[in-house]
């Protein structure tokens, strides 16, 4: 496996995790008993994942000099 293959696999895993967090946040927002602190933690985790996904996508996208 090349570095790009490993990065793409990791990227797919991060996207799945991001989607799962999004679903968990949506479920908790509908629940009145959920603490706002728990919701904030999940949202922060989701943002961290989004940044990691963007970084990996940037690594995998070749630089094109026009």
């Amino acid at each position: 496996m090349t570095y790009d293959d490993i990065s793409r696999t990791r990227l797919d895993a991060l996207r799945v995790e991001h989607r799962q967090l999004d679903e968990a946040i949506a479920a908790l927002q509908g629940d009145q008993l959920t603490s706002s602190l728990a919701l904030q933690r999940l949202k922060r985790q989701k943002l961290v994942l989004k940044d990691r996904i963007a970084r990996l996508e940037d690594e995998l996208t070749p630089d094109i000099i026009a």
Side-chain angles (χ1 to χ4, degrees):
M1 262 182 130
T2 66
Y3 177 76
D4 283 354
D5 293 337
I6 294 169
S7 293
R8 282 187 177 82
T9 302
R10 182 68 182 140
L11 183 61
D12 290 340
L14 288 174
R15 285 181 178 154
V16 168
E17 191 175 346
H18 186 268
R19 202 171 314 118
Q20 289 172 340
L21 273 174
D22 197 33
E23 292 168 0
I25 289 169
L28 288 176
Q29 284 177 333
D31 186 12
Q32 297 297 330
L33 300 176
T34 304
S35 75
S36 61
L37 183 60
L39 202 52
Q40 286 175 348
R41 285 182 181 155
L42 287 176
K43 287 181 179 182
R44 193 172 300 122
Q45 244 183 317
K46 185 179 163 189
L47 286 174
V48 168
L49 282 175
K50 184 178 177 181
D51 290 341
R52 290 172 64 189
I53 289 169
R55 231 178 292 126
L56 267 176
E57 286 174 339
D58 190 45
E59 282 180 23
L60 291 171
T61 304
D63 292 334
I64 298 174
I65 301 173

